Amino acid sequence: MHNARDNILNRLRRQRPEFPPQDEPASMDEGNETTLQQRIEAFTEKLRSVRAEVHLTTEQDWCHKLQELCRKKELDNLLYGNQGPLAEAMEKHWNSDDSTPRLVTLNETIESWKEPLFNDIAAAVTSVRTGIAQVGTLVLWPTLEEPRTYSLVPPVHFAVLHADKLYNTFAEVVEEEAWQEGMPTNALLISGPSKSADIEQTLSYGVHGPTELVALLVS
Amino acid sequence: MQTASDFRQRSEEALGNPQIRRNFRFAMDGLMAKRRAGLSDPREREQLRTQCAGIRVNALSKLPELLEQLEGNCTRNGIQVHWAESVDEANNIVLEIMRQHDATRMIKGKSMVSEEMELNHFLEDHDIECLESDLGEYIVQLAGETPSHIIAPAIHKNRHEIAELFRQKFPDIPFEEDPEKLARSAREILREKFYKADVGLSGVNFAVAETGTLCLVENEGNGRMCTTVPPVHIAVTGIEKVVEQLSDIPPLLNLLVRSATGQHISTYFNMISSPRKPGEKDGPQEVHLVLPDNERSRIYEDDELINTLRCIRCGACMNHCPVYGRIGGHAYGSTIPGPIGSVVEPQKIGLDTLGELPTASTLCGACGEVCPVRIPLPDLLNRLRYEGVRNNNDGKVKGQSEQRKGTEAWIWKSWSWLHVQPMLYRLAMRTATRLRSLMPRKLGPWTDVRRPPRIAARTLHELAREKGFDNA
Amino acid sequence: MERQRHYPEKPGRIYFFGTCLVDLLYPEASLAGMQLIQREGVDVIFPKDQTCCGQPAWNSGYRDEARAVALAQLKCFPLDYPVVVPSGSCAGMMRHHYPRLFKNTPQEQQVQALANRVYKLTEFLVHVLKITLKDLGTPAKVALHTSCSARREMGVAEEHEALLQQLGNVELVEQERKAECCGFGGTFAVKHPKISAEMVSEKAEHISNTSADTLVSGDCGCLMNISGRLNHQAEKIKGKHIASFLWERTNADSQ
Ligand code: SF4
């Protein structure tokens, strides 16, 4: 279809558009300087407002919290990346304790585990790259160890976020982490459990993605 | 293809259907209230609108270069880019990709461009199952209908109608009227479809030239499913959807979501820059980007109409349109309804068939007032009215002049003739006031619901003269 | 919506541009507008050769016809006095659409200069004349429909309210969906009569729900539409153009 390409581009070049001069947006001094504490509060409030759970926890305690929540939710297995950043702490904790829920990891590629992923996995836990305080958002760059479907297919998604990584706005994340210098296969912003308002504008949760989103905010 | 030549009939039918009226009124009131609450600080709102308008204008002013840059970066990342001049070409590209993989099952995320292509019908004619997975789109597909709103496709139906539809289609699942339970039923039905699909198809909200990134905004997770689970992902989007750089994205996402639904952010924002890389465990092995033109490059050539292409499809203009709110989306008979539909669709399909749509507005300005990218929608509607009736055809707009009718043109000519002759005009007005008792009591449909207007006893010119304001 | 506009000092003299609809149906509205301005010590000139701003044809797509009529109006304003227009849609036509209508014509500059000095009457009273009003009328309950062009094209809805709020005996009541269009839209009402009828019926209902005794509008088109509907429903609500309303309540001889 190379013809189509050239034809389209040629047509677009035939006449350069002329726009009247555009207004400059007024600068919004966003009262930017926020403290970490303020960011944590904003993040928690916003994420809870869309029916996600947020638990404040610590480096020592988050595994315990995770396990406790799994048990409370009566989950009988938990998907995690056994080579991922959470693995070491989790395995240690799970070993020292009794070992429910069962920890599961999926090796090979999705082709070999699509069906169990959809049918058998009760929950998954992933790490989170950073968070956005103003809108209560988790920023994920899924990795080899914690692939994309982990945060998508299981009915419950636990997300472990280190509070020192909270940014105020999405614009700050993109700028300060210089995303334009190299984007991953998939970058994701997740702000709450899956939902829809397609029936009478009434919010229904858990449509295709996770029904529950649980953020463990570690500080 | 539907046409709007019978727009009037369809709109009158809709007006006569109290259920449709109620469903739309209820939904539009809700959406307007949510936007108001979500954008409550006028200073911030106007600042963001200016910023986003600037981003879109900047992108359009460099469109061919940005498209080449997008193509270059996508290709480097392993995304295969396909250009299509027409809807037919775009459909065939999709079909060809399906055939290369012996694919028979497609699962679709929301894509207005695929609606524009009528892709579902096309693929079904080629024995490919093509299933919508966005809840609203799924409902509409089950009912054999088309979307009536660009972000809330099933907005014309209420829960009872949807429950009834599910009962007919799935007699085995228990009857439910609760929206949450209906949504759960759809989840259960579609889950298997996601992992069995051979190809996932999605739209694109923004394509970033700088990095070759495709961005998708959604709440349900079906978009992520379609772009992650099947082995092949095909994204379709119009050539106008490109933006220059990644830093353009945060403000656009922010204002798009808040204008559309008043949420502070959508549940998911999905940025795709490549197919599965070696070592990665999931994600599609192939990603294709199909870029249909379908008249966009023609729209691009006009310095005023080009503003049509700024649209980021938030739906706010229809939510706030008093005409749309009363007749609903189907009355328009076009893929995209409401004010932006009345602007973009006649330019794509032709003013000959859809030339009535630009008249379906009082030009009250409610649409332009809320548009996040400041598209001057009333001005564009006005322009297309002109294109529809102008008598010197320059061939630049499809179906130009086809709305010109002899009597109407004659009336305006006579009107003009009278109003350029002040003396004659004054005489005519004076005569009208003197003959006011002869004014008919019935003035067509106007007086079906209104008293006829009463002509004054004396003209303004006479009164002004008497009081000495007259410059004579 | 219009960006922040800078207003001049009070001028010695202005041109007043009434409209075709006003001319035939509500001549007293324009007259009242001129009297209000004159009372503030400003000379009012009513160019007698004015006919119509051209908006009906412009909005119907008949641009050549609109331009011919607009061209005839240009002759009415030879000097650079402000041009004051009682109707929101005519003001919007002259201020915003004349420059588009005359783009790439020999009159382009002349028209832009004219557009720059066009004011909607209410805006002129508030911002240029800084008028203060003393209410001489009996207590009244008023619903206001500014017109969409006044509200969104000219961005002067608040000025209407400010003027009415100066009247001590007037209680301003707010109807549901206040900012929504009444469904007139010029030829829209002719081309899509059923939709228009639906819109005006709801508008009239919302207004009568307020139990207002007077409907005040900033535009004669809306006034004709809504009053026509109210009267059809045998509602007792009087329809008044804001200029007539202000003049009658503040002029001793009208009481
Ligand atoms: S025209 Fe503006 S308001 Fe309408 S859908 Fe497009 S971006 Fe949204």
Side-chain angles (χ1 to χ4, degrees):
Chain A
M1 287 288 157
H2 248 263
N3 264 340
R5 175 189 190 275
D6 295 345
N7 293 345
I8 294 168
L9 289 173
N10 287 339
R11 274 200 298 275
L12 294 177
R13 289 208 164 98
R14 204 154 55 194
Q15 175 142 12
R16 302 305 303 197
E18 254 181 62
F19 287 97
Q22 299 293 306
D23 291 348
E24 278 297 315
S27 75
M28 291 288 283
D29 38 7
E30 287 167 40
N32 264 335
E33 289 311 303
T34 51
T35 63
L36 180 61
Q37 192 50 38
Q38 285 169 325
R39 291 201 295 279
I40 290 175
E41 278 164 22
F43 174 87
T44 307
E45 186 212 308
K46 274 285 172 0
L47 194 50
R48 281 183 181 152
S49 76
V50 290
R51 228 202 254 186
E53 285 178 38
V54 182
H55 299 278
L56 303 176
T57 174
T58 62
E59 199 57 64
Q60 290 76 40
D61 219 35
W62 69 264
C63 283
H64 178 74
K65 187 80 199 167
L66 174 63
Q67 190 170 44
E68 186 186 291
L69 287 166
C70 287
R71 288 178 183 165
K72 207 162 90 197
K73 294 175 191 293
E74 298 177 11
L75 303 169
D76 56 52
N77 60 55
L78 176 65
L79 180 63
Y80 80 121
N82 65 351
Q83 307 287 317
L86 307 178
E88 200 187 312
M90 281 178 64
E91 283 164 3
K92 216 161 108 196
H93 182 83
W94 253 252
N95 276 336
S96 65
D97 203 276
D98 75 57
S99 56
T100 59
R102 186 164 51 88
L103 289 183
V104 189
T105 197
L106 297 168
N107 298 310
E108 311 292 322
T109 57
I110 187 172
E111 284 70 25
S112 62
W113 42 257
K114 221 183 237 184
E115 225 180 301
L117 175 70
F118 273 82
N119 297 327
D120 305 333
I121 302 293
V125 59
T126 71
S127 61
V128 170
R129 183 184 175 87
T130 186
I132 305 170
Q134 239 178 39
V135 282
T137 295
L138 304 166
V139 180
L140 278 76
W141 283 21
T143 56
L144 308 187
E145 298 79 26
E146 294 174 345
R148 291 154 77 167
T149 42
Y150 281 30
S151 62
L152 174 63
V153 179
V156 183
H157 174 209
F158 293 97
V160 181
L161 169 63
H162 284 85
D164 56 357
K165 290 184 180 168
L166 272 182
Y167 287 92
N168 205 22
T169 64
F170 184 25
E172 272 173 42
V173 178
V174 169
E175 191 187 318
E176 288 179 32
E177 298 197 340
W179 280 22
Q180 72 284 355
E181 283 168 17
M183 286 293 280
T185 303
N186 186 216
L188 287 168
L189 306 193
I190 299 180
S191 314
S194 147
K195 64 173 180 273
S196 173
D198 275 351
I199 302 176
E200 283 193 8
Q201 290 294 300
T202 308
L203 276 181
S204 314
Y205 288 86
V207 184
H208 296 297
T211 308
E212 292 179 56
L213 174 69
V214 185
L216 298 177
L217 192 56
V218 181
S219 56
Chain B
M1 170 61 57
Q2 299 185 68
T3 68
S5 53
D6 42 0
F7 168 80
R8 200 190 279 223
Q9 190 200 330
R10 276 195 308 268
S11 58
E12 288 176 10
E13 269 169 30
L15 288 172
N17 182 335
Q19 189 62 61
I20 297 238
R21 294 280 320 276
R22 262 200 304 277
N23 293 353
F24 273 98
R25 209 51 211 266
F26 174 74
M28 295 308 113
D29 282 351
L31 286 165
M32 284 192 280
K34 285 180 196 160
R35 176 184 177 273
R36 224 173 7 252
L39 281 167
S40 53
D41 175 355
R43 217 173 70 94
E44 185 211 8
R45 180 185 67 217
E46 296 310 310
Q47 184 267 350
L48 266 172
R49 290 178 71 214
T50 303
Q51 188 181 8
C52 290
I55 290 170
R56 290 299 299 140
V57 164
N58 171 62
L60 289 174
S61 68
K62 305 176 186 164
L63 187 59
E65 291 72 32
L66 295 184
L67 282 167
E68 280 178 318
Q69 192 188 1
L70 176 73
E71 179 189 41
N73 284 326
C74 283
T75 310
R76 198 165 312 123
N77 298 345
I79 296 175
Q80 301 173 48
V81 180
H82 311 263
W83 305 69
E85 289 198 71
S86 63
V87 156
D88 268 357
E89 270 183 36
N91 281 327
N92 279 302
I93 292 168
V94 174
L95 180 63
E96 191 46 43
I97 300 169
M98 299 288 292
R99 287 200 168 138
Q100 280 166 15
H101 294 89
D102 292 322
T104 55
R105 283 167 303 198
M106 169 182 282
I107 188 93
K108 285 183 68 196
K110 207 166 144 28
S111 154
M112 285 313 291
V113 175
S114 76
E115 298 284 346
E116 173 184 337
M117 291 157 59
E118 299 189 62
L119 177 67
N120 295 11
H121 287 157
F122 176 84
L123 290 181
E124 275 154 22
D125 288 347
H126 290 87
D127 296 321
I128 289 171
E129 179 191 85
C130 202
L131 198 65
E132 297 287 350
S133 63
D134 172 86
L135 181 57
E137 293 277 355
Y138 179 67
I139 292 166
V140 165
Q141 189 180 33
L142 278 182
E145 297 173 351
T146 53
S148 58
H149 188 284
I150 59 172
I151 61 154
I155 205 79
H156 55 289
K157 290 193 178 312
N158 63 23
R159 66 181 75 192
H160 314 298
E161 292 164 308
I162 295 167
E164 191 47 44
L165 177 67
F166 274 56
R167 169 158 58 195
Q168 280 168 23
K169 300 285 169 176
F170 309 105
D172 298 341
I173 58 174
F175 182 77
E176 284 294 352
E177 285 206 337
D178 174 49
E180 187 132 19
K181 299 212 169 99
L182 285 164
R184 283 299 163 83
S185 303
R187 174 190 175 104
E188 294 315 318
I189 298 161
L190 284 167
R191 248 175 127 69
E192 179 191 322
K193 302 285 184 183
F194 282 119
Y195 72 84
K196 292 198 168 151
D198 305 310
V199 170
L201 184 129
S202 77
V204 173
N205 291 93
F206 315 109
V208 185
E210 179 183 32
T211 52
T213 300
L214 312 177
C215 304
L216 280 75
V217 179
E218 59 148 344
N219 283 324
E220 294 182 8
N222 67 308
R224 285 184 65 199
M225 289 278 189
C226 294
T227 59
T228 309
V229 177
V232 178
H233 167 210
I234 304 174
V236 290
T237 196
I239 54 172
E240 81 281 19
K241 283 289 172 67
V242 63
V243 297
E244 184 172 15
Q245 49 199 5
L246 216 50
S247 59
D248 292 338
I249 294 297
L252 283 176
L253 170 66
N254 180 343
L255 195 57
L256 167 63
V257 176
R258 291 161 79 188
S259 300
T261 61
Q263 292 170 268
H264 46 264
I265 190 168
S266 57
T267 302
Y268 300 114
F269 187 60
N270 182 5
M271 307 174 84
I272 297 162
S273 301
S274 84
R276 185 193 307 183
K277 291 198 187 102
E280 289 177 346
K281 288 180 178 162
D282 64 9
Q285 281 142 332
E286 278 181 26
V287 177
H288 297 266
L289 173 62
V290 182
L291 294 170
D293 176 345
N294 188 26
E295 303 296 330
R296 289 167 175 81
S297 57
R298 187 211 280 249
I299 297 172
Y300 187 79
E301 281 188 59
D302 183 280
D303 282 345
E304 183 177 28
L305 297 174
I306 189 174
N307 291 302
T308 311
L309 302 176
R310 287 190 201 179
C311 176
I312 56 173
R313 301 281 186 266
C314 72
C317 56
M318 51 202 82
N319 300 343
H320 290 75
C321 176
V323 173
Y324 175 91
R326 285 181 175 78
I327 62 174
H330 288 148
Y332 290 78
S334 53
T335 307
I336 297 177
I340 183 62
S342 299
V343 168
V344 68
E345 298 285 352
Q347 296 186 71
K348 283 192 188 150
I349 310 292
L351 283 162
D352 41 351
T353 40
L354 296 183
E356 225 182 341
L357 293 186
T359 70
S361 159
T362 60
L363 302 180
C364 75
C367 49
E369 184 182 45
V370 296
C371 176
V373 288
R374 296 192 188 277
I375 300 177
L377 289 158
D379 289 351
L380 297 180
L381 289 165
N382 175 295
R383 168 70 187 277
L384 290 170
R385 291 179 183 185
Y386 165 64
E387 294 295 339
V389 300
R390 62 188 283 177
N391 63 358
N392 53 338
N393 191 326
D394 67 5
K396 286 195 174 146
V397 181
K398 220 173 167 183
Q400 216 172 30
S401 309
E402 295 284 340
Q403 294 292 319
R404 193 179 177 89
K405 295 186 188 83
T407 28
E408 195 182 87
W410 179 84
I411 289 173
W412 287 116
K413 275 211 158 39
S414 319
W415 172 89
S416 175
W417 176 80
L418 175 66
H419 285 81
V420 296
Q421 304 183 73
M423 280 213 333
L424 194 64
Y425 171 82
R426 288 194 294 272
L427 180 67
M429 293 300 113
R430 206 160 54 231
T431 313
T433 53
R434 298 311 181 263
L435 299 178
R436 67 182 183 142
S437 55
L438 302 181
M439 169 107 169
R441 322 205 98 246
K442 286 257 163 253
L443 293 171
W446 177 268
T447 43
D448 289 348
V449 297
R450 305 173 190 85
R451 278 275 184 80
R454 276 189 42 215
I455 295 177
R458 302 174 66 204
T459 70
L460 174 60
H461 283 84
E462 290 173 293
L463 297 176
R465 167 167 227 160
E466 185 182 295
K467 299 273 181 200
F469 292 121
D470 199 321
N471 65 345
Chain C
M1 182 145 61
E2 185 147 8
R3 259 170 276 152
Q4 207 60 47
R5 185 171 186 180
H6 292 287
Y7 292 101
E9 291 293 299
K10 182 166 155 179
R13 196 165 275 173
I14 61 121
Y15 290 120
F16 197 89
F17 189 82
T19 68
C20 34
L21 258 180
V22 174
D23 203 341
L24 208 50
L25 305 176
Y26 301 101
E28 74 283 356
S30 275
L31 193 66
M34 291 189 271
Q35 289 169 315
L36 281 165
I37 296 171
Q38 189 185 42
R39 193 173 65 192
E40 298 300 304
V42 177
D43 274 358
V44 176
I45 304 170
F46 178 83
K48 78 174 196 321
D49 283 351
Q50 61 181 277
T51 60
C52 170
C53 64
Q55 187 202 205
W58 163 255
N59 276 346
S60 304
Y62 286 83
R63 291 193 173 182
D64 296 337
E65 288 76 3
R67 197 179 299 108
V69 170
L71 197 60
Q73 311 313 307
L74 295 185
K75 299 196 195 97
C76 298
F77 315 108
L79 301 172
D80 66 351
Y81 308 140
V83 177
V84 180
V85 186
S87 148
S89 60
C90 308
M93 177 70 192
M94 296 171 85
R95 182 154 171 80
H96 296 291
H97 302 306
Y98 271 20
R100 294 173 64 209
L101 187 56
F102 286 93
K103 202 166 166 210
N104 301 326
T105 69
Q107 291 81 22
E108 189 170 346
Q109 287 196 347
Q110 183 193 355
V111 161
Q112 187 58 57
L114 169 66
N116 291 344
R117 58 191 161 95
V118 166
Y119 301 88
K120 160 110 170 88
L121 172 66
T122 43
E123 161 187 43
F124 190 76
L125 294 177
V126 171
H127 295 295
V128 182
L129 300 187
K130 305 194 169 61
I131 197 169
T132 47
L133 298 167
K134 189 164 169 3
D135 193 1
L136 307 173
T138 51
K141 210 167 169 185
V142 171
L144 170 70
H145 178 79
T146 50
S147 92
C148 296
S149 26
R151 177 177 295 279
R152 284 179 276 263
E153 201 162 58
M154 299 293 288
V156 294
E158 283 165 20
E159 284 75 355
H160 290 71
E161 287 181 23
L163 286 166
L164 292 177
Q165 274 156 359
Q166 285 195 35
L167 301 174
N169 271 334
V170 167
E171 182 196 349
L172 192 57
V173 291
E174 194 166 298
Q175 67 274 25
E176 203 187 319
R177 299 177 196 279
K178 173 176 80 160
E180 194 174 274
C181 179
C182 71
F184 177 52
T187 46
F188 173 82
V190 179
K191 285 199 186 254
H192 304 287
K194 291 272 166 58
I195 308 176
S196 175
E198 244 353 273
M199 290 169 73
V200 74
S201 303
E202 271 183 56
K203 179 60 74 187
E205 195 183 314
H206 292 145
I207 288 169
S208 55
N209 286 345
T210 62
S211 68
D213 49 49
T214 310
L215 161 70
V216 169
S217 176
D219 197 300
C220 293
C222 313
L223 190 60
M224 171 178 78
N225 187 36
I226 307 172
S227 292
R229 175 62 188 168
L230 286 167
N231 294 338
H232 189 267
Q233 298 299 91
E235 291 285 350
K236 294 255 149 35
I237 304 173
K238 287 191 301 277
K240 285 261 179 231
H241 189 276
I242 190 163
S244 312
F245 187 75
L246 295 177
W247 175 252
E248 285 169 18
R249 293 194 70 94
T250 57
N251 173 41
D253 296 341
S254 318
Q255 296 312 308

